[in-house]
């Protein structure tokens, strides 16, 4: 992906297996969100190809990829603020429902329960706290019947207890048979929920594999933490 003179992901080959939970970590500006933008069609890579379920999807639009089962939550949270959490999910379901009828893993009521929004389902989203706005976005993405979910900095701005609740939510989503890729800064979060982690630095992959092993990789400690242990 070239942005003017800057190139990210030159010559890299990255694949994600179904039914696994992957973590992406890396310093600010290392390319994490850009990777998500490429996977879900917000950006078309200047070179290279993207495959999903064995078929090339390079250049497809986000709405086309959403209908194929790629769900996404944003680093800068963007629910439909003038609607309630339930309405956010209902709009998403009514749009996605035409394309994935019969593939619903959960009802809208179950989604409200799962995302902790049951009691707030009828409050206008603009009045909710930041974590609940993020939950609303997660609910909206789940309502689209995803096969894979991309979470960008899912624990950002959360307190200790809320982080544990988010980890629980990730595990539950995975238990429903939805594959997950999560961008996250908190290593404990990655170690607890991820099968594998990929470490980006300046648009390259500097390490990948088992989170506990990767956390000890000197390249990661140096680049990501400036020498401090994870
Ligand atoms: N649309 C764009 N146009 C130009 N440059 C961009 C664009 N999107 C990202 N970049 C640049 O690409 C690099 C990677 O950005 P990206 O947002 O992917 O980083 P990140 O790893 O998600 O960082 P953070 O941890 O701060 O969220 C940065 O230098 C950024 O300024
Ligand atoms: Mg980012």
């Amino acid at each position: 992906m070239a942005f003017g003179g800057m190139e990210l992901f030159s010559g890299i080959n990255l694949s994600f297996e179904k039914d696994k939970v992957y973590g992406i970590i890396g310093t600010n500006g290392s390319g994490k969100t850009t990777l998500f933008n490429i996977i879900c069609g917000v950006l078309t890579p200047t070179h290279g190809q993207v495959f999903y379920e064995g078929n090339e999807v390079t250049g497809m639009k986000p709405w086309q990829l959403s209908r194929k089962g790629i769900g996404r939550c944003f680093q800068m949270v963007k629910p439909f603020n003038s609607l309630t959490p339930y309405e956010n999910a209902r709009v998403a379901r009514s749009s996605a429902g035409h394309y994935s009828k019969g593939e619903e893993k959960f009802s809208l009521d179950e989604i409200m329960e799962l995302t902790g929004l049951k009691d707030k389902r009828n409050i206008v989203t603009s009045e909710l706290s930041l974590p609940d706005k993020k939950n609303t976005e997660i609910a909206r993405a789940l309502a689209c019947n995803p096969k894979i979910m991309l979470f960008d900095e899912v624990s950002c701005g959360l307190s200790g207890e809320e982080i544990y609740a988010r980890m629980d939510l990730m595990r539950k989503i995975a238990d429903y048979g939805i594959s997950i890729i999560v961008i996250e800064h908190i290593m404990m979060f990655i170690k607890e929920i991820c099968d594998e982690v990929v470490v980006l630095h300046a648009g390259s992959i500097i390490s990948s594999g088992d989170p506990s092993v990767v956390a000890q990789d000197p390249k990661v400690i140096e680049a990501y933490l400036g020498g401090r242990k994870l």
Side-chain angles (χ1 to χ4, degrees):
M1 183 78 233
F3 294 123
M6 180 175 64
E7 275 192 17
L8 302 171
F9 313 130
S10 237
I12 73 159
N13 188 4
L14 187 57
S15 61
F16 300 98
E17 282 171 43
K18 195 172 174 291
D19 295 331
K20 278 196 173 179
V21 179
Y22 288 90
I24 311 274
I25 63 171
T27 43
N28 295 123
S30 56
K32 304 179 296 297
T33 299
T34 302
L35 181 63
F36 274 11
N37 284 338
I38 290 169
I39 294 172
C40 77
V42 170
L43 291 171
T44 300
T46 21
H47 296 286
Q49 294 161 293
V50 186
F51 290 86
Y52 173 64
E53 294 187 315
N55 301 310
E56 188 175 357
V57 295
T58 323
M60 279 194 188
K61 301 293 170 214
W63 56 270
Q64 293 173 304
L65 293 167
S66 167
R67 287 174 184 176
K68 286 181 177 293
I70 300 181
R72 195 225 174 130
C73 290
F74 293 85
Q75 183 170 4
M76 305 302 282
V77 64
K78 318 178 186 175
F80 302 133
N81 270 312
S82 59
L83 304 180
T84 66
Y86 189 82
E87 288 167 341
N88 266 268
R90 200 178 60 201
V91 166
R93 176 60 57 88
S94 67
S95 157
H98 299 296
Y99 303 93
S100 52
K101 208 154 189 60
E103 289 173 27
E104 294 88 355
K105 290 195 161 71
F106 11 57
S107 66
L108 297 187
D109 287 338
E110 284 165 335
I111 291 174
M112 291 295 109
E113 176 99 47
L114 190 66
T115 51
L117 291 165
K118 196 175 163 201
D119 298 335
K120 299 166 194 160
R121 54 187 274 162
N122 294 323
I123 299 174
V124 176
T125 305
S126 59
E127 291 175 15
L128 295 177
S129 65
L130 184 62
D132 280 333
K133 283 184 178 157
K134 198 101 172 179
N135 284 328
T136 302
E137 224 189 39
I138 295 172
R140 184 180 61 184
L142 290 176
C144 289
N145 309 323
K147 296 179 192 169
I148 179 167
M149 281 286 300
L150 313 178
F151 293 105
D152 198 342
E153 304 217 4
V154 83
S155 71
C156 187
L158 299 185
S159 67
E161 224 169 85
E162 290 164 341
I163 291 172
Y164 282 102
R166 233 351 114 58
M167 290 193 322
D168 254 13
L169 175 57
M170 297 291 109
R171 288 194 195 96
K172 282 183 189 152
I173 291 172
D175 287 346
Y176 273 98
I178 297 172
S179 309
I180 291 179
I181 312 177
V182 58
I183 294 172
E184 190 45 70
H185 281 297
I186 302 174
M187 199 56 197
M188 178 272 290
F189 194 107
I190 296 279
K191 282 183 178 169
E192 285 287 325
I193 70 157
C194 296
D195 301 303
E196 287 187 36
V197 63
V198 176
V199 189
L200 296 180
H201 185 60
S204 297
I205 299 171
I206 58 164
S207 188
S208 63
D210 182 287
S212 303
V213 177
V214 165
Q216 304 305 321
D217 184 333
K219 283 197 298 292
V220 176
I221 294 169
E222 183 52 40
Y224 188 61
L225 290 166
R228 276 184 296 125
K229 285 234 156 149
L230 288 166

